[in-house]
Amino acid sequence: MKTLVVNPYLPIPARCTKIVSQTELEKLFRFEFLGKTIQENFDYLPGQFLELSIPGFGEAPFSITSTPTKKEYFEFCVRKVGTVTGALHDLKEGKKVGIRGPFGNGFPLNDLKGRDIIVIAGGLGLVPLRSLINYILDKRDKFGALKILYGTKQPKELLFRDELKAWEERKDVELLITVDAVPEGQEWSGNVGVVTTLIPKVEMHKDYTAVICGPPIMYKFVLRKLDGKLREDLIFLSLERRMRCGIGKCGHCAIGPKYTCLDGPVFSYEEIKNLQGAI
Ligand SMILES: Cc1cc2nc3c(=O)[nH]c(=O)nc-3n(C[C@H](O)[C@H](O)[C@H](O)COP(=O)(O)OP(=O)(O)OC[C@H]3O[C@@H](n4cnc5c(N)ncnc54)[C@H](O)[C@@H]3O)c2cc1C
Ligand code: FES
């Protein structure tokens, strides 16, 4: 996968064309590169990320949540936690940011093609997985069964509600959603319990490929539940580490000998199960 320009340190200007609030803390941002040719030639894999910069505030990495099958724009879904994410949440449609990338390896599409797939997402983990899910749906005949398990802490944290509804209505997708708890005042008639409680509810054979993304705590429990059910080389996890350069130079994202920005963020379980500190 090529980066946008020869110099990977140089941000390319992109304009924000649409902002849609998702929850109290998360917003969906749509961008287009200023140069039409750059936008048309911009290609990436589901699971890759971009570095977004706002002058005067800094730069931060975000997963691309749109699918590369939509060529006219790219999207991020961002939780407001600090300086850059705060400035991004204050951004108005029509304003510009800087973009570097795409970086990272992305989900292994070659290993996924033709296979039955189970996607397991916790919280913000749905953000990169939405790119993969919509990619699969846009190329439906290239993939086997698609099962999606998604959990959030509480109903009001559910992302992409319209898309969840559309996925739920499809006959070629099995979607199960759960919330950890239902605080007073929130409406919910679905499953209650952590995302691992959904695993026994879906039928899977040993050759299913699992793609997992969520908070670090989730991985241990999901892997324990999948233990013995699926092949370790067919379980893929997208890991998040503090990043700066995004291109293997600063060392901020190292897990032992691996750089999350270059070798990852997607790893097979087989690759990292003996790597200290990975999970
Ligand atoms: C590959 C990758 C993909 C990501 N994709 C997304 C995404 O799609 N959507 C999204 O909302 N976020 C994503 N993140 C996290 C995002 O990069 C951070 O939230 C962002 O860097 C915070 O910047 P800030 O300037 O707003 O926060 P700061 O002002 O730098 O920090 C605010 C607080 O957040 C903490 N913090 C900062 N960075 C991180 C981090 N990486 N992990 C945990 N805590 C952190 C700080 O310790 C501090 O407490 C991703 C991170 C990586 C590495
Ligand atoms: S972010 Fe700099 S080496 Fe990975």
Side-chain angles (χ1 to χ4, degrees):
M1 187 64 44
K2 277 188 259 166
T3 51
L4 286 170
V5 283
V6 181
N7 183 351
Y9 294 102
L10 192 68
I12 303 290
R15 192 185 306 283
C16 179
T17 57
K18 193 173 173 188
I19 302 172
V20 183
S21 185
Q22 295 286 307
T23 67
E24 280 170 14
L25 284 181
E26 281 103 13
K27 284 184 182 175
L28 180 68
F29 298 88
R30 183 172 288 184
F31 287 96
E32 278 172 32
F33 286 107
L34 295 195
K36 203 163 176 253
T37 329
I38 299 181
Q39 182 59 48
E40 278 168 6
N41 291 316
F42 178 50
D43 200 13
Y44 57 92
L45 294 169
Q48 285 195 296
F49 65 93
L50 295 168
E51 291 278 352
L52 179 150
S53 54
I54 303 183
F57 293 93
E59 186 180 59
F62 300 107
S63 303
I64 311 171
T65 189
S66 48
T67 154
T69 47
K70 301 274 180 292
K71 299 298 288 176
E72 314 81 52
Y73 58 81
F74 57 97
E75 290 174 329
F76 301 112
C77 180
V78 176
R79 177 175 293 171
K80 184 177 174 177
V81 295
T83 311
V84 177
T85 52
L88 187 57
H89 270 246
D90 288 341
L91 199 80
K92 300 279 178 274
E93 290 175 4
K95 294 291 178 194
K96 287 182 275 180
V97 298
I99 297 289
R100 295 192 295 125
F103 299 132
N105 56 358
F107 296 114
L109 295 181
N110 286 338
D111 290 311
L112 295 172
K113 283 205 174 122
R115 306 198 78 95
D116 294 332
I117 299 166
I118 178 157
V119 169
I120 306 176
L124 262 190
L126 187 62
V127 169
L129 290 170
R130 171 184 181 245
S131 175
L132 177 67
I133 292 165
N134 284 327
Y135 180 90
I136 294 172
L137 296 180
D138 282 349
K139 295 181 181 278
R140 196 65 195 91
D141 56 327
K142 302 265 188 297
F143 298 88
L146 177 61
K147 304 192 180 208
I148 305 167
L149 310 184
Y150 173 40
T152 58
K153 287 199 187 116
Q154 41 181 323
K156 69 175 186 180
E157 292 180 9
L158 288 168
L159 299 168
F160 314 120
R161 283 162 188 266
D162 293 347
E163 260 159 272
L164 293 178
K165 200 159 169 283
W167 297 344
E168 205 158 30
E169 282 167 1
R170 289 181 68 125
K171 290 206 164 49
D172 56 357
V173 175
E174 186 179 344
L175 170 67
L176 295 183
I177 303 174
T178 188
V179 296
D180 294 358
V182 186
E184 236 181 88
Q186 291 187 42
E187 273 183 38
W188 183 249
S189 55
N191 296 295
V192 178
V194 290
V195 74
T196 44
T197 59
L198 297 178
I199 295 174
K201 294 184 190 231
V202 288
E203 275 181 36
M204 274 185 286
H205 52 74
K206 185 108 184 159
D207 281 337
Y208 256 82
T209 302
V211 191
I212 308 163
C213 190
I217 182 79
M218 189 190 102
Y219 290 111
K220 278 197 185 79
F221 292 102
V222 169
L223 288 167
R224 213 176 284 166
K225 269 275 194 261
L226 292 178
D227 191 27
K229 276 198 169 71
L230 303 183
R231 286 166 38 187
E232 291 180 350
D233 61 323
L234 290 182
I235 299 177
F236 294 94
L237 310 107
S238 181
L239 301 184
E240 199 184 301
R241 289 293 183 278
R242 298 291 173 93
M243 289 186 191
R244 286 263 185 272
C245 68
I247 52 173
K249 301 289 181 207
C250 71
H252 268 84
C253 67
I255 312 175
K258 302 221 183 257
Y259 282 151
T260 318
C261 67
L262 275 186
D263 306 309
V266 181
F267 297 92
S268 76
Y269 181 42
E270 191 180 43
E271 210 180 343
I272 53 164
K273 71 172 181 176
N274 295 321
L275 199 62
Q276 215 187 354
I279 297 168

